[in-house]
Amino acid sequence: MNDKISDALVKEMAGVTAIGDERYRPEAVILLAAFAAIAQELAHVAYGHLDRPLDPETKDPKVVRAYESDADRRAGATMIAMYFTDNTRSIISKFGAVESIGDFIEASCLAIVMICLFFQKGHNPRNPSEHYHSPSTRRLLLQDGLAAGLGDHMKDGRLLTAAGVMKANKVVQQLNIASGKELRKLLQGDAADLDLYRNTTLPLVRGIVRELADASPFSLEK
């Protein structure tokens, strides 16, 4: 994970000695934020983004944004896959006191909020990044990926994730963190940017996925 993000998360969580009445510890949030960052990079590799290099002269922003959005969403599902390995569960249990899938989902949603809160601090809606959607849209993509991944493992996976999102959003507002104004903006969402994702980025993502699937001997999710 980027050192700046790591430092920011540790700084934000430094004054948090407990997370409400939750059993998991603040360390779990920092650890799962690291997992999310790793999962996003793994998603770029696993789903073939590196096999379709961009024109180095143009680096079409729309295509870069599509890759990043695809990786954001798939990162959530990758985190679920990581959870269902013994090594990952033992690590987060030992260092974060995360003992159940419910705790994992809630702490993961909280970690995603904290990551995106860091991005929100540097987000300027008047001059948004060409290569990334707004932090609030990225939060939704990461959390939707969690829901999709858990839905593949559990019948009520999407419902459990939705409950985790709601609880995490409530918990984070109760924490003693310095970024209250940015947090409110993050949780309010960005309707215009979400429309951009739905109308422009998502169709491009689907086209890229189909193209990669046609060129690959492996089965990619449509």
Side-chain angles (χ1 to χ4, degrees):
M1 183 166 56
N2 184 293
D3 288 342
K4 290 184 179 180
I5 300 177
S6 301
D7 291 344
L9 285 169
V10 171
K11 188 174 181 179
E12 288 281 12
M13 300 298 292
V16 180
T17 57
I19 302 179
D21 58 354
E22 308 312 307
R23 290 178 297 174
Y24 58 85
R25 298 193 292 264
E27 290 85 352
V29 177
I30 297 172
L31 185 60
L32 288 170
F35 281 12
I38 293 169
Q40 207 262 7
E41 297 303 330
L42 288 175
H44 281 302
V45 178
Y47 292 97
H49 300 161
L50 303 185
D51 299 329
R52 190 178 187 270
L54 297 168
D55 183 330
E57 294 185 3
T58 60
K59 289 190 177 180
D60 187 345
K62 294 190 299 296
V63 176
V64 177
R65 194 166 59 230
Y67 283 165
E68 294 298 335
S69 300
D70 192 34
D72 283 343
R73 187 176 183 278
R74 294 180 189 274
T78 303
M79 288 180 72
I80 295 296
M82 292 168 70
Y83 172 80
F84 283 97
T85 63
D86 292 337
N87 286 342
T88 301
R89 282 203 304 277
S90 65
I91 290 171
I92 60 177
S93 174
K94 179 179 180 180
F95 295 103
V98 174
E99 300 295 346
S100 69
I101 184 62
D103 285 347
F104 176 80
I105 290 297
E106 184 183 320
S108 293
C109 290
L110 185 52
I112 287 168
V113 170
M114 297 302 291
I115 290 175
C116 293
L117 179 59
F118 171 80
F119 295 139
Q120 183 69 40
K121 291 181 181 180
H123 175 63
N124 182 355
R126 297 178 182 174
N127 185 27
S129 169
E130 289 185 320
H131 297 142
Y132 297 94
H133 276 286
S134 71
S136 58
T137 299
R138 299 188 73 183
R139 174 180 67 87
L140 294 175
L141 289 170
L142 284 158
Q143 291 176 341
D144 186 58
L146 281 176
L150 192 56
D152 290 339
H153 286 273
M154 298 175 60
K155 180 179 179 181
D156 297 325
R158 283 191 169 274
L159 184 60
L160 181 60
T161 306
V165 169
M166 293 176 64
K167 187 68 179 292
N169 290 351
K170 181 179 179 181
V171 167
V172 75
Q173 293 179 73
Q174 297 171 345
L175 298 180
N176 181 27
I177 59 175
S179 307
K181 183 177 180 181
E182 287 86 354
L183 177 63
R184 287 192 294 274
K185 291 180 180 178
L186 178 69
L187 297 181
Q188 284 171 357
D190 185 335
D193 187 74
L194 194 55
D195 284 343
L196 176 65
Y197 171 76
R198 289 168 174 161
N199 298 327
T200 302
T201 305
L202 185 57
L204 186 55
V205 168
R206 288 171 173 164
I208 291 170
V209 169
R210 282 195 297 271
E211 180 180 326
L212 290 171
D214 290 342
S216 172
F218 303 102
S219 175
L220 291 178
E221 178 186 343
K222 297 298 177 73

